[in-house]
Amino acid sequence: NAGVMQNPRHLVRRRGQEARLRCSPMKGHSHVYWYRQLPEEGLKFMVYLQKENIIDESGMPKERFSAEFPKEGPSILRIQQVVRGDSAAYFCASSPEQGSPTDTQYFGPGTRLTVL
Amino acid sequence: AQKITQTQPGMFVQEKEAVTLDCTYDTSDPSYGLFWYKQPSSGEMIFLIYQGSYDQQNATEGRYSLNFQKARKSANLVISASQLGDSAMYFCAMREAVASSNTGKLIFGQGTTLQVKP
């Protein structure tokens, strides 16, 4: 029973390149959340998706960042034209249902993005 | 606005002793959940324990227990019989009930680094 999968675990990009981060939720989970953790800080919410729908992107930077969760395949967090300030750990979490505060979100191992 | 505060940047505890990690929160929603996660040096986020705002009893999971004081809006994590493997960063998080303006995202505190001494 696989947990939340994220790949790659480590990603190095030069300034101006694109970064693509992938997340496969736990089996049976249809709700995906992306969080960002800057060095020495807690996690900050970025975006919440269900299959084929972005539900809440209030934590996403207005430019260069986008996310999707297609009907088939993993959720993708895409960062265009990366800058050094994008260096962080990006975590994906999944939960089976949205409706209750009791629903635990289970996290993937994270993708550590380093921008040179 | 919802907020989570962890006032202890770092804590030390002797192996086999108990330790309490503090967490206070602020919300106007009567229905919410409180979570603790552990982040070891390897970086993953491990779910430890959950407390619901309407739960009458404090949550327990093995060596972890949550000291929930609703009137004081605190949800402290107690780790009993500390082990060397407990050395990690610990995050308190809150999730409000889903409503039209809230989609169940987690709000995290800044974290507490716990070091267990042999």
Side-chain angles (χ1 to χ4, degrees):
Chain A
N1 186 16
V4 179
M5 310 285 285
Q6 286 188 254
N7 67 82
R9 295 289 304 274
H10 299 275
L11 182 61
V12 179
R13 285 287 178 265
R14 297 191 179 280
R15 281 179 296 169
Q17 291 183 320
E18 179 179 288
R20 279 181 179 246
L21 288 61
R22 296 174 185 78
C23 168
S24 296
M26 286 179 72
K27 187 175 181 181
H29 289 192
S30 57
H31 301 260
V32 167
Y33 297 78
W34 284 93
Y35 296 85
R36 178 166 64 175
Q37 184 180 29
L38 295 171
E40 308 301 325
E41 293 189 12
L43 279 72
K44 298 284 196 309
F45 167 77
M46 298 181 75
V47 62
Y48 162 50
L49 310 102
Q50 295 176 24
K51 285 283 187 181
E52 299 184 279
N53 283 302
I54 297 174
I55 308 301
D56 179 0
E57 55 182 349
S58 59
M60 287 276 271
K62 298 299 180 190
E63 297 177 348
R64 303 186 297 108
F65 285 72
S66 63
E68 63 178 7
F69 190 13
K71 188 176 180 181
E72 301 291 337
S75 175
I76 307 283
L77 179 67
R78 182 182 178 205
I79 312 172
Q80 295 178 290
Q81 299 175 327
V82 296
V83 301
R84 288 211 174 115
D86 296 333
S87 295
Y90 292 83
F91 288 93
C92 165
S94 73
S95 68
E97 298 290 340
Q98 175 207 3
S100 166
T102 66
D103 296 322
T104 298
Q105 292 180 20
Y106 294 93
F107 282 79
T111 294
R112 271 98 189 138
L113 173 65
T114 302
V115 179
L116 301 178
Chain B
Q2 59 269 43
K3 187 179 179 182
I4 292 278
T5 303
Q6 294 179 254
T7 57
Q8 307 154 313
M11 291 280 287
F12 289 92
V13 65
Q14 205 68 38
E15 193 178 9
K16 300 180 184 177
E17 299 287 316
V19 63
T20 298
L21 306 183
D22 294 343
C23 172
T24 58
Y25 60 92
D26 190 19
T27 179
S28 56
D29 196 322
S31 180
Y32 51 89
L34 295 157
F35 302 80
W36 278 91
Y37 288 87
K38 172 184 178 181
Q39 186 176 41
S41 58
S42 51
E44 68 267 34
M45 293 289 288
I46 302 168
F47 166 70
L48 295 178
I49 196 167
Y50 160 81
Q51 179 83 44
S53 58
Y54 293 119
D55 293 345
Q56 296 296 315
Q57 294 187 325
N58 288 342
T60 60
E61 288 286 348
R63 294 186 299 109
Y64 304 108
S65 61
L66 204 151
N67 184 2
F68 181 45
Q69 297 188 43
K70 195 170 182 177
R72 298 178 63 183
K73 292 189 174 179
S74 73
N76 299 339
L77 177 70
V78 180
I79 305 174
S80 62
S82 297
Q83 301 172 357
L84 295 177
D86 293 335
S87 294
M89 179 84 90
Y90 289 81
F91 289 99
C92 179
M94 177 174 67
R95 188 181 191 194
E96 292 181 332
V98 174
S100 59
S101 60
N102 172 48
T103 50
K105 59 183 177 285
L106 288 169
I107 308 297
F108 283 86
Q110 290 294 94
T112 295
T113 300
L114 176 67
Q115 291 192 31
V116 180
K117 293 183 174 180

